[in-house]
Amino acid sequence: METVVITGAAGGMGSAVAALFRSKGYQVLGTDCQEIAGVDFQVVGDVADEVTWGKISTVIEQNDLEVVSLINIAGRNYFNLVDDAIKSEWLNMFEVNVVAMVIGIKHLVPYLRKAKAASIVNMSSISAQIGTSGYSAYVATKGAVDSLTKALALELAPQIRINAVAPGWIETPFTVAGLNLTPDPVAHRKKAEQMHALNRVGTPEEIAKVIYFLASSESSFLTGSIVVADGGYLIKN
């Protein structure tokens, strides 16, 4: 049975992606820093640590898994104005949001090259295109994800396709945590909804469908693309 590896699989987005792939007949190997429900195999650990990827490789080999796709969702956020920037926080942002992707891709490429139609999907954000005050570290990492995706699309072609999805505001614990840092979360949310052409925020299940499309053979002629799924945020602003 074909298997997909999903990082950040315990989160709102990761669990939605895992559920969709399993409903489509795939096995899911999930990894996160906490226990993961709803997957066939799990590895608990830090995706920025190569030890974790060594454990993932062991699971793949011991169970003779046919890995056809890597979905890089794991990430973190960091709010701080540049006047108060903390070097260690910035370095960790890049380690988790960008370098962890590189490490994961490095370890899984040998398995993906054995598949007939392998793919990688990276989690980006429209923040890379618009900027957000106070979230410069997050914005910078997502810009790096976009550039990394394009560079690796050339490096890994033609055996492996790699694309990224750039969501708008999606209803996950990750985004709600960021919302709660604002002075007036209710007002901020209403304003955020109105900034989307669809006049609402998205759901993890909606982004999961985009990720599935990019990972599957349904997008067989796409590589190096940053696919925006933002409910019309960019066109309205």
Side-chain angles (χ1 to χ4, degrees):
M1 185 182 294
E2 294 181 328
T3 302
V4 297
V5 176
I6 303 174
T7 75
M13 190 71 70
S15 59
V17 173
L20 179 57
F21 272 93
R22 293 188 79 201
S23 75
K24 298 289 186 179
Y26 292 83
Q27 289 187 132
V28 172
L29 193 170
T31 184
D32 208 308
C33 57
Q34 58 184 302
E35 292 293 319
I36 309 161
V39 297
D40 301 284
F41 306 92
Q42 68 169 304
V43 173
V44 176
D46 180 359
V47 289
D49 187 345
E50 294 207 60
V51 171
T52 298
W53 289 99
K55 293 178 180 178
I56 290 170
S57 295
T58 297
V59 171
I60 292 171
E61 292 168 9
Q62 287 182 343
N63 295 278
D64 195 25
L65 302 181
E66 180 189 358
V67 179
V68 296
S69 190
L70 167 63
I71 315 296
N72 286 309
I73 297 177
R76 59 161 297 210
N77 210 337
Y78 168 55
F79 176 85
N80 220 352
L81 298 176
V82 72
D83 291 11
D84 302 313
I86 300 171
K87 181 180 178 180
S88 61
E89 290 282 3
W90 272 76
L91 289 173
N92 186 252
M93 283 290 294
F94 274 88
E95 183 176 38
V96 174
N97 290 5
V98 184
V99 178
M101 285 189 184
V102 176
I103 295 172
I105 292 168
K106 165 191 168 182
H107 280 266
L108 288 198
V109 156
Y111 303 108
L112 291 170
R113 284 195 172 124
K114 297 176 184 178
K116 292 181 179 179
S119 62
I120 299 170
V121 183
N122 293 332
M123 180 60 69
S124 183
S125 169
I126 60 169
S127 295
Q129 302 180 49
I130 61 175
T132 307
S133 177
Y135 290 96
S136 55
Y138 181 78
V139 170
T141 61
K142 293 307 179 180
V145 167
D146 288 357
S147 296
L148 175 68
T149 299
K150 294 173 185 177
L152 292 186
L154 291 173
E155 186 174 326
L156 299 177
Q159 296 95 342
I160 302 171
R161 298 184 304 107
I162 177 168
N163 296 286
V165 58
W169 186 295
I170 307 301
E171 187 74 27
T172 66
F174 184 83
T175 53
V176 170
L179 173 68
N180 289 336
L181 292 175
T182 63
D184 188 342
V186 174
H188 191 84
R189 179 191 174 92
K190 184 173 181 60
K191 181 180 178 181
E193 291 174 343
Q194 294 172 342
M195 292 180 79
H196 294 72
L198 296 182
N199 213 30
R200 65 175 178 85
V201 299
T203 68
E205 290 73 21
E206 288 174 312
I207 301 305
K209 291 176 183 177
V210 179
I211 291 173
Y212 177 78
F213 169 74
L214 292 175
S216 73
S217 59
E218 294 180 15
S219 61
S220 57
F221 201 55
L222 266 71
T223 196
S225 295
I226 315 301
V227 177
V228 173
D230 69 344
Y233 185 103
L234 291 180
I235 60 172
K236 190 170 182 180
N237 297 278

